[in-house]
Amino acid sequence: MNTAATPGILAFAPEVLARLMPMYLAISAAGIITHVGPTMAKLSPSDPMPGRAVDAVFELCRPSAPASMAALTARAGRRLHLMLRAGDGAVLRGVAVPLAGPGQGQGQGLLINLSIGIGVVKALEKYALTHADFAPTDLTVEMLYLVEAQSAVMAESRNLNLRLQGAKSTAEEQALTDTLTGLRNRRALDLTLAALTRHETAFGLMHIDLDFFKQVNDTLGHAAGDHVLREVARVLLAETRHSDTVARVGGDEFVLIMPGLYDAAQLGQIARRIIEHLTLPTEFEGEVCRISASIGLTVSTLYDHPDADRMLSDADDALYASKRAGRGQAQFFTPPEPGRLSA
């Protein structure tokens, strides 16, 4: 811009002021904005400031009043707080100094140098500002570097926390999982039983022991035995709900916990289906593996105060009653006396 057109307003070329004070305002004695810095222009891209009265664009804060030329001149040399009337009402901070033309004395207008202040982070996003929009000596640039550094550190911290949380979840899951079958393990079973008995949730408990599994291991090898165990796991998961706990608690022993399911008829049907499926032969590397299953059942409603160890022991008694009765069947635990049992 040619400074000769405004000899009393700007003593420096606008491009010089733009570099030194990218958020400056040059205001004529009549209170009209004549020039603005490039960063200031970005704050009102759809309604350019030059040519408009300063009090139409800004409001003086502290005390709140129109930003008239008289009010601004009265505060020359002191800290200013100017609020943009448009948009989100951003408050800018700065200082005004009187302008004078050569040989004309004072009263030629004001030059105001402004900054965004603590609202810089919000302004960066709203007005798409970068460090290039601020004077190199502006401490805001240092703040921007700090914000960028902090953002990078926070992002890395969040990523690290997510990785740690993922690793923790994986470790916790592995600690509760049987590595061969993918079922729950004994620790997971104990936690489930403790929670159910603590909250007095009614549930059914099924103890399963495989019949003839030792013969598979002895005749066809442990690889065949592992294959059978994985097939057993598949059957048990297929016959239970997502809310049930299916745990492998020994070499060929399994326990099923079924919250909310304590009807003897329903549990009996599930046990018979499991036995039916497990009786079907399984092929492994051209060899046929044959097993069966004996099952013992009990339900928490048999007990005044259900105790996990007691219920597991009673289901185990029922299981061995099934084995003594010929294997491949399911039996319920029968209390020695009528009525509910005390732990």
Side-chain angles (χ1 to χ4, degrees):
M1 180 177 293
N2 185 358
T3 58
T6 55
I9 300 299
L10 294 177
F12 298 97
E15 56 268 22
V16 175
L17 287 176
R19 182 60 175 162
L20 295 175
M21 300 182 294
M23 293 191 67
Y24 79 86
L25 288 174
I27 307 170
S28 71
I32 303 300
I33 300 174
T34 59
H35 300 77
V36 299
T39 304
M40 180 63 69
K42 288 187 175 184
L43 304 189
S44 185
S46 60
D47 195 3
M49 297 181 189
R52 299 169 62 193
V54 65
D55 56 0
V57 180
F58 292 98
E59 180 178 332
L60 185 63
C61 303
R62 300 182 185 178
S64 178
S68 67
M69 192 61 179
L72 293 174
T73 302
R75 295 187 64 83
R78 299 157 60 189
R79 179 180 290 272
L80 284 174
H81 290 78
L82 294 180
M83 182 179 71
L84 278 168
R85 290 184 179 276
D88 60 358
V91 176
L92 308 177
R93 294 157 177 79
V95 63
V97 295
L99 288 173
Q104 298 181 30
Q106 302 293 324
Q108 297 303 307
L110 291 173
L111 181 66
I112 304 178
N113 187 25
L114 294 165
S115 68
I116 295 174
I118 61 175
V120 63
V121 175
K122 183 179 179 181
L124 289 176
E125 180 178 355
K126 180 175 178 59
Y127 302 110
L129 302 180
T130 69
H131 64 87
D133 291 305
F134 300 90
T137 56
D138 192 339
L139 290 179
T140 302
V141 175
E142 301 300 322
M143 183 184 295
L144 294 181
Y145 288 135
L146 289 175
V147 169
E148 291 176 359
Q150 182 185 37
S151 297
V153 170
M154 292 298 292
E156 182 58 31
S157 177
R158 285 193 297 270
N159 290 336
L160 178 59
N161 285 335
L162 288 174
R163 292 195 296 270
L164 289 175
Q165 186 60 43
K168 179 182 177 183
S169 298
T170 299
E172 290 175 346
E173 180 66 18
Q174 290 174 345
L176 300 175
T177 302
D178 175 62
T179 56
L180 175 63
T181 63
L183 300 178
R184 302 285 85 179
N185 58 19
R186 181 57 188 258
R187 180 167 180 263
L189 175 70
D190 290 342
L191 291 174
T192 299
L193 286 172
L196 291 174
T197 53
R198 182 170 61 252
H199 295 106
E200 299 183 353
T201 302
F203 63 94
L205 188 153
M206 189 180 301
H207 189 180
I208 303 171
D209 185 83
L210 302 183
D211 302 321
F212 315 116
F213 179 75
K214 186 175 183 300
Q215 287 89 321
V216 172
N217 266 339
D218 291 346
T219 58
L220 301 178
H222 290 288
D226 290 347
H227 171 73
V228 169
L229 291 174
R230 286 190 286 266
E231 283 298 301
V232 171
R234 182 186 60 79
V235 169
L236 297 182
L237 291 174
E239 292 298 332
T240 52
R241 306 164 299 178
H242 288 297
S243 58
D244 298 334
T245 296
V246 182
R248 181 186 177 209
V249 297
D252 60 349
E253 292 184 62
F254 303 83
V255 172
L256 277 56
I257 304 297
M258 302 178 176
L261 184 56
Y262 48 89
D263 178 75
Q266 288 181 282
L267 288 169
Q269 289 177 355
I270 295 171
R272 286 190 291 274
R273 287 201 305 268
I274 289 173
I275 293 171
E276 180 181 349
H277 284 298
L278 295 183
T279 304
L280 298 175
T282 299
E283 185 175 322
F284 177 74
E285 296 183 351
E287 299 288 345
V288 176
C289 307
R290 297 182 182 276
I291 62 167
S292 181
S294 296
I295 300 177
L297 302 101
T298 189
V299 291
S300 63
T301 51
L302 288 176
Y303 307 82
D304 285 325
H305 302 288
D307 175 80
D309 291 337
R310 173 70 181 276
M311 290 184 66
L312 287 169
S313 176
D314 290 345
D316 189 59
D317 289 345
L319 165 66
Y320 281 96
S322 296
K323 285 188 175 291
R324 288 193 297 270
R327 302 183 181 181
Q329 57 183 282
Q331 293 198 25
F332 275 88
F333 169 71
T334 302
E337 297 178 3
R340 302 209 308 171
L341 302 171
S342 298

